[in-house]
Amino acid sequence: MELIEVKNCYKVYKNGVTALADINVSIKKGDFVFVIGSTASGKSSLIKLLYREEKPTKGSVFVGGINVAKLRNRKVYKLRRKIGIVFQDFKLLPKLTVYENVAFPLESMGVKKREIKPRVLKALERVGLKEKIHSFPNQLSGGECQRVCIARAIINNPKVLICDEPTGNLDPKTSKEIMKLIDYINKEMHTTIIMATHDKDIVNRMKKRVLLIDHGILKGDFAKGSYKENEAI
Amino acid sequence: MKPFRILSKNIKDAFKSIFRNFSLSFASIICTTITLLMVAIAIIVSINVNDFTKEIENNLSIIVFLDRSATIDDATNIQKKMKEDKRIDSIIFESKEDVKKEMQKESEVFNSIMSEWTEDTNPLQHEFSIKVKQAEDLKAVSESIKKMNHIDSVKYGEGIVDKLVSTFNIVEKATIVVVIALILVTAFLISNTIKITIYSRKNEIDIMRLVGTSNIVIKLPFLFEGFILGIIGAIVPIVVTIYGYMLAYDKLDGHLFSNIIRLENPTNIVFKVSLVLVVIGAVVGMISSYRSARKYLKI
Ligand SMILES: Nc1ncnc2c1ncn2[C@@H]1O[C@H](COP(=O)(O)OP(=O)(O)OP(=O)(O)O)[C@@H](O)[C@H]1O
Ligand SMILES: [Mg+2]
């Protein structure tokens, strides 16, 4: 079994919207996969199944061998400790400093203080934000916030980094830098990356595997580098 | 985080959030206060009344007077019959001779008059004094005795005792119902307060869940908030219990209704009652907030 296996998944929301229909995807350890599609096509819905924010209406979702579709609410935190999640809106705690935000997952897991410090510094070094550790989120630029968010996501050396439009709020230049960072994490830490995005430039430039979703249906699964911009969307 | 740091941070957060949702927190606290005041009064009254009813129950006898034609043999028969009644605890027989002697002992005047009486001219009546096992049975037992032969009259503290016992029973039941209703209202208000807190911190909670914070760490601040609301609500009732009861005890000189009810010594009960109040406040607070946390955090 691969690291991630989505089998015959359907997602119908309570309001009757069918966001996903019969999705089958498998993703190997170390892969870098883009999830693309027009707005409301179901990208976020697919990604939410992976970190058990939503349960599929039908089908199974295996992450690291566990069927997270069957995971109980009170056990979800165990899954979250094994994966990293990055969002468009960063989701940093505004009252905590950069250091404290990155240390937060470790602290809430009860890791010892003297163990936390080197790990936080290492993660901040990786994302290139070591000088700003005492700043608060509102003192940072969008790109810097996203770096903090990525540092927090990789603090546990997760096997998977899940990103939902991480560059959605950033200008092209900053987006490029963030993508460089994510690519670096994929290459250096061998972290599997699954990233939903709207940004055609990024997808075209980086030549990774691409999953194309259209109205909740998986319309295409393009192997690394085989996706050509005009074929779809 | 060290346990002490978690504790102090949670307590600080709880107070902050109580002040932030002041009106709702205040309503919860007032409701807790009213409830616990009721509980305090109910406990204190029922401790005192329990003592009092026990005392009446112990002292309550039915006095049965036989008619003047009844002989000692008749009395023996009646006693045999009464012994069959399982509700009766004890039966003491006093013949009219016994009654006479007793009265003679009591005063010189009686003594001189009664010494003239012979067994046949003695106008007094044979009597039984009967104790029942339970005060509620007084009436029924009296009724059944009245139906026997040679009974002149049957007396017990009819009106008063009956009424007292049934009034106390009704008051006790009504109090329990009111207290339960108040506890439910309190629980509802505290749950709602916690719900608002949860909503106002939804963002933070979502982030905590996203990065894998364990459920208990997420829930703890809310449990603390409920706990603290309950404890704050217990403060006024405790002060009222301690000072109010001591004052009442002093003013009334330890008695109520001219010696019928002897009040319990304050030092024996006020601290126990206070403890009960704190525990009820804290438990109701925590259970309500736990329910809210479960419902709205879905963990
Ligand atoms: N919690 C929800 N309840 C009901 N419907 C929802 C919910 N979340 C998403 N939907 C619906 O499901 C469909 C897919 O939404 P989704 O967020 O997955 O799209 P998306 O591809 O991420 O879009 P975008 O590119 O705009 O982020 C949409 O029609 C949306 O309205
Ligand atoms: Mg989306």
Side-chain angles (χ1 to χ4, degrees):
Chain A
M1 185 180 274
E2 303 297 351
L3 182 65
I4 290 172
E5 300 255 4
V6 180
K7 289 181 180 165
N8 308 102
C9 262
Y10 288 78
K11 178 69 198 177
V12 182
Y13 285 107
K14 281 200 191 93
N15 59 4
V17 174
T18 303
L20 296 171
D22 200 16
I23 302 282
N24 287 283
V25 174
S26 85
I27 296 170
K28 275 202 196 70
K29 192 173 178 304
D31 266 7
F32 192 132
V33 183
F34 284 119
V35 180
I36 63 168
S38 53
T39 185
S41 57
K43 303 183 293 293
S44 297
S45 299
L46 175 59
I47 280 194
K48 280 176 183 168
L49 296 184
L50 300 180
Y51 63 92
R52 229 322 301 271
E53 181 67 16
E54 296 285 352
K55 281 184 183 178
T57 315
K58 225 174 98 188
S60 42
V61 178
F62 289 91
V63 177
I66 305 166
N67 187 356
V68 301
K70 293 224 171 87
L71 201 63
R72 299 201 166 213
N73 278 335
R74 58 190 169 77
K75 298 228 163 136
V76 168
Y77 76 94
K78 290 185 177 167
L79 169 71
R80 304 277 169 88
R81 287 176 179 185
K82 292 190 190 128
I83 59 183
I85 310 170
V86 175
F87 289 97
Q88 179 173 5
D89 59 354
F90 321 131
K91 297 203 194 295
L92 298 173
L93 290 162
K95 284 182 206 149
L96 301 187
T97 63
V98 167
Y99 178 91
E100 289 164 339
N101 263 294
V102 177
F104 190 77
L106 296 179
E107 274 199 354
S108 68
M109 282 166 65
V111 176
K112 289 199 189 75
K113 259 203 160 142
R114 62 187 142 72
E115 209 178 306
I116 291 178
K117 193 165 183 186
R119 282 171 71 178
V120 172
L121 294 180
K122 175 96 179 143
L124 284 170
E125 195 182 327
R126 278 189 165 130
V127 302
L129 257 187
K130 224 180 162 182
E131 327 76 53
K132 302 232 170 170
I133 58 172
H134 296 303
S135 306
F136 286 90
N138 63 1
Q139 299 167 334
L140 301 178
S141 71
E144 286 168 332
C145 280
Q146 198 55 290
R147 285 171 192 273
V148 180
C149 188
I150 292 171
R152 183 180 67 188
I154 61 170
I155 191 80
N156 271 323
N157 295 317
K159 287 203 181 75
V160 190
L161 183 65
I162 294 171
C163 314
D164 196 347
E165 308 201 27
T167 60
N169 274 347
L170 308 174
D171 61 61
K173 182 168 166 285
T174 316
S175 295
K176 224 172 179 175
E177 286 166 17
I178 292 294
M179 287 320 298
K180 233 186 199 164
L181 175 58
I182 293 176
D183 199 34
Y184 161 83
I185 289 166
N186 176 242
K187 291 200 169 111
E188 294 298 310
M189 297 173 68
H190 310 292
T191 307
T192 311
I193 311 279
I194 297 155
M195 172 172 157
T197 185
H198 266 127
D199 195 327
K200 290 176 195 165
D201 288 346
I202 290 175
V203 177
N204 291 330
R205 179 160 37 82
M206 290 185 70
K207 311 220 182 308
K208 304 289 185 188
R209 182 177 166 193
V210 174
L211 301 176
L212 173 64
I213 297 184
D214 183 25
H215 289 95
I217 296 165
L218 187 62
K219 272 283 168 65
D221 184 348
F222 304 89
K224 193 172 156 77
S226 72
Y227 173 74
K228 299 278 183 310
E229 194 200 339
N230 296 326
E231 270 179 53
I233 309 191
Chain B
M1 274 194 270
K2 293 235 172 65
F4 180 73
R5 249 186 71 199
I6 294 180
L7 195 74
S8 66
K9 184 179 180 304
N10 274 316
I11 292 175
K12 225 168 73 189
D13 283 355
F15 274 105
K16 258 192 225 157
S17 125
I18 286 170
F19 280 108
R20 206 175 304 138
N21 310 313
F22 188 73
S23 54
L24 204 52
S25 306
F26 190 67
S28 307
I29 291 170
I30 291 292
C31 196
T32 314
T33 301
I34 294 171
T35 309
L36 294 179
L37 273 175
M38 285 287 293
V39 172
I41 292 170
I43 295 175
I44 287 175
V45 168
S46 88
I47 289 175
N48 283 305
V49 166
N50 259 343
D51 265 23
F52 164 59
T53 39
K54 242 182 255 154
E55 207 149 289
I56 316 180
E57 278 168 14
N58 288 337
N59 290 319
L60 268 181
S61 343
I62 302 171
I63 309 287
V64 179
F65 295 98
L66 302 190
D67 61 26
R68 292 196 170 75
S69 69
T71 63
I72 296 282
D73 283 344
D74 295 328
T76 316
N77 281 335
I78 291 169
Q79 182 161 11
K80 250 189 219 152
K81 264 199 212 160
M82 289 193 299
K83 266 193 183 149
E84 286 162 16
D85 193 329
K86 293 271 182 294
R87 296 167 295 185
I88 292 176
D89 190 34
S90 68
I91 303 169
I92 296 168
F93 174 67
E94 279 185 286
S95 68
K96 52 188 179 187
E97 279 304 304
D98 297 336
V99 179
K100 183 178 115 185
K101 278 178 199 150
E102 240 170 60
M103 290 174 84
Q104 279 177 310
K105 264 185 239 156
E106 267 169 38
S107 90
E108 274 304 308
V109 189
F110 281 167
N111 188 16
S112 62
I113 300 171
M114 291 179 175
S115 59
E116 311 271 302
W117 299 350
T118 67
E119 176 120 23
D120 292 329
T121 58
N122 183 350
L124 297 170
Q125 294 161 290
H126 296 308
E127 58 179 77
F128 287 103
S129 79
I130 296 164
K131 284 194 176 160
V132 292
K133 287 173 186 152
Q134 280 168 331
E136 295 101 85
D137 293 333
L138 277 170
K139 195 167 181 180
V141 171
S142 310
E143 292 300 325
S144 73
I145 292 174
K146 254 183 211 162
K147 289 188 192 116
M148 296 176 184
N149 290 329
H150 291 296
I151 304 293
D152 182 47
S153 61
V154 178
K155 296 223 164 90
Y156 66 96
E158 276 169 278
I160 322 162
V161 174
D162 258 10
K163 267 187 204 141
L164 269 179
V165 171
S166 69
T167 312
F168 284 146
N169 277 341
I170 290 169
V171 169
E172 204 168 32
K173 277 180 193 141
T175 314
I176 291 173
V177 170
V178 170
V179 165
I180 289 175
L182 279 170
I183 286 182
L184 290 180
V185 174
T186 307
F188 174 77
L189 275 173
I190 293 181
S191 292
N192 256 312
T193 313
I194 302 301
K195 179 174 114 184
I196 300 288
T197 310
I198 289 174
Y199 278 138
S200 71
R201 291 180 52 194
K202 189 160 189 334
N203 217 358
E204 195 182 335
I205 293 167
D206 281 348
I207 295 172
M208 289 167 93
R209 299 187 67 181
L210 216 51
V211 302
T213 306
S214 67
N215 303 332
I216 185 66
V217 173
I218 295 179
K219 271 191 261 186
L220 213 55
F222 304 110
L223 296 191
F224 261 103
E225 192 174 334
F227 177 78
I228 287 171
L229 285 174
I231 300 268
I232 294 177
I235 292 175
V236 171
I238 286 174
V239 171
V240 168
T241 302
I242 294 177
Y243 289 99
Y245 189 66
M246 282 182 172
L247 201 72
Y249 188 83
D250 272 358
K251 274 264 154 62
L252 297 169
D253 219 9
H255 294 285
L256 201 58
F257 305 138
S258 60
N259 296 5
I260 301 180
I261 301 183
R262 206 179 61 249
L263 293 176
E264 276 277 330
N265 192 337
T267 47
N268 287 344
I269 62 169
V270 287
F271 294 106
K272 280 184 208 157
V273 174
S274 305
L275 192 68
V276 171
L277 296 183
V278 174
V279 170
I280 293 179
V283 168
V284 170
M286 289 216 290
I287 290 178
S288 322
S289 53
Y290 184 78
R291 285 175 51 94
S292 241
R294 269 187 73 110
K295 189 163 168 198
Y296 298 104
L297 296 175
K298 297 210 178 71
I299 41 176

